[in-house]
Amino acid sequence: MHQQLQRQLDNARQRRHSLVQIRVLKTQGSSYRKSGARMLIDELGQHYDIVSGGCIETHLARQAMEIFRHGMPKILEYDFSDPDAPEWQISVGCRGKVTLLLERLGPDNHYASLALYLEGRLRRQPSWLITQITNGQSELRDCQTPTDTDTVVEFIEPAPRLLLIGTGADTDAIIELAQNLDYQVQVVGCQSLTLHRFQHRFPNLAQSVAPQQLDNYLVQHPVDYAVVMTHNQSLDAAYLSQASLAQLALVGMLGPLDRKHRVLDEMTSPAPVHLAAPMGLSLGGHGSQAVALSVMSQVQAVHHHMQAQPLSRKH
């Protein structure tokens, strides 16, 4: 989500246009989006992303026009617990309550809470976004401090960081999907030809880091998860032997099961505790997009502490 938000923010800044941001503050019961979700509406009424399944977006667009006119933040609560309520006259899928905050963002307030939210997502430590309802002013704090009833406090968790070790063409699909899922992606490699080609496709994203340099690199650029995909058996073994990968919550390696055993035989140190090889969930399909979906599905499940299974089997 934050990649799309950043693009919309950059576009608004460039054109000096105003936006209305709609934040989900809290939910109760069944709801389409959860706390922290955001959508944007521009001065023409066009919206980017949604906070419901389409049930309230038209109403929110009208509310946003009022925010553009008077400029003050507004809190709205929608209660879908009674689906037959005459004020809705729509068939809603969710049966919960959602509380939203509408704010005008523009050059005069430096796009306020949206810019600060995106800054908080890029930090390595959690932060708190404090917004004054009376005047719309926001600030980002490193710790939670007492606030009054006229403020909204939002906890901002840093975006998860994913390291891809390898710069082959199959990284492209993983990068695109991971960024769309709000991961901060880092890429390293040491194979000069593929690294050069990669830097052509993604300027400034990849760095040249040999296996023996990986520990020092990760001291400066810590990550949460890593995927080793050099397509070179000896290089995979050398990277996986580095101490900085040993305790990560998930370290994946591409390739079939028999290749895993050959790589392990070449390693000079014990394998990472949470090594997943072959990496990915068994979803079927062919090609780089299917591989990316399989890989990121496993990363996503680990990050959210979920057992990957059909929703129909959840109780």
Side-chain angles (χ1 to χ4, degrees):
M1 177 182 70
H2 77 269
Q3 298 289 335
Q4 294 90 330
L5 290 173
Q6 185 67 61
R7 285 195 288 269
Q8 295 304 324
L9 174 59
D10 292 342
N11 184 59
R13 279 174 166 165
Q14 182 179 2
R15 301 186 179 198
R16 296 188 63 79
H17 286 178
S18 294
L19 299 165
V20 166
Q21 175 181 245
I22 300 172
R23 274 197 268 168
V24 178
L25 297 183
K26 62 180 179 179
T27 63
Q28 179 180 340
S30 173
S31 63
Y32 187 79
R33 300 289 299 275
K34 300 301 181 183
S35 299
R38 284 164 160 77
M39 67 174 285
L40 301 173
I41 298 179
D42 65 18
E43 294 165 309
L44 298 177
Q46 296 178 315
H47 61 78
Y48 308 92
D49 214 331
I50 54 178
V51 292
S52 79
C55 305
I56 59 175
E57 273 65 27
T58 299
H59 186 257
L60 287 173
R62 292 196 296 268
Q63 294 292 321
M65 294 305 109
E66 293 185 16
I67 301 296
F68 277 123
R69 284 192 291 271
H70 62 64
M72 298 305 295
K74 183 176 184 180
I75 291 181
L76 296 175
E77 182 176 279
Y78 296 89
D79 185 353
F80 300 114
S81 57
D82 180 5
D84 299 319
E87 61 265 27
W88 288 113
Q89 298 294 316
I90 53 177
S91 177
V92 295
C94 301
R95 294 293 183 263
K97 298 179 182 179
V98 59
T99 303
L100 307 173
L101 173 63
L102 283 67
E103 310 163 78
R104 188 185 66 81
L105 313 175
D108 56 320
N109 62 12
H110 306 290
Y111 298 90
S113 63
L114 177 57
L116 293 173
Y117 166 76
L118 293 170
E119 177 187 333
R121 290 287 289 171
L122 294 178
R123 292 187 174 188
R124 294 182 182 174
Q125 301 297 326
S127 54
W128 283 261
L129 178 62
I130 313 298
T131 301
Q132 299 287 336
I133 300 300
T134 53
N135 56 24
Q137 293 183 355
S138 296
E139 63 176 309
L140 199 61
R141 298 180 185 175
D142 293 328
C143 60
Q144 188 174 16
T145 55
T147 56
D148 55 44
T149 56
D150 292 327
T151 60
V152 169
V153 179
E154 180 181 357
F155 173 73
I156 302 179
E157 184 177 0
R161 295 174 181 265
L162 172 67
L163 175 67
L164 303 181
I165 301 176
T167 51
D170 56 348
T171 59
D172 297 24
I174 296 179
I175 291 169
E176 180 180 6
L177 182 54
Q179 289 180 337
N180 285 335
L181 290 170
D182 284 357
Y183 288 79
Q184 289 294 311
V185 180
Q186 300 167 205
V187 183
V188 301
C190 66
Q191 296 157 295
S192 57
L193 182 59
T194 60
L195 181 60
H196 177 72
R197 289 173 176 170
F198 181 89
Q199 290 172 331
H200 229 19
R201 302 193 304 273
F202 296 93
N204 306 316
L205 181 56
Q207 295 190 43
S208 178
V209 178
Q212 64 271 21
Q213 299 171 318
L214 185 64
D215 290 346
N216 287 335
Y217 170 83
L218 289 178
V219 169
Q220 300 298 322
H221 308 280
V223 297
D224 302 296
Y225 315 104
V227 181
V228 179
M229 45 192 304
T230 70
H231 302 290
N232 179 295
Q233 180 175 309
S234 296
L235 275 179
D236 280 4
Y239 279 113
L240 286 169
S241 296
Q242 304 308 306
S244 52
L245 300 183
Q247 298 297 325
L248 290 185
L250 178 64
V251 177
M253 181 175 66
L254 298 191
L257 184 60
D258 62 335
R259 183 177 185 277
K260 168 189 175 181
H261 297 303
R262 296 196 302 270
V263 170
L264 291 177
D265 288 340
E266 279 198 49
M267 290 180 60
T268 57
S269 298
V273 175
H274 301 293
L275 176 64
M279 173 66 165
L281 300 185
S282 181
L283 302 176
H286 302 280
S288 59
Q289 298 291 339
V291 171
L293 179 60
S294 172
V295 167
M296 288 310 303
S297 293
Q298 185 169 9
V299 175
Q300 186 81 341
V302 170
H303 180 65
H304 290 282
H305 309 288
M306 300 293 291
Q307 292 292 327
Q309 60 177 326
L311 289 174
S312 59
R313 295 182 184 175
K314 291 186 67 176
H315 299 288

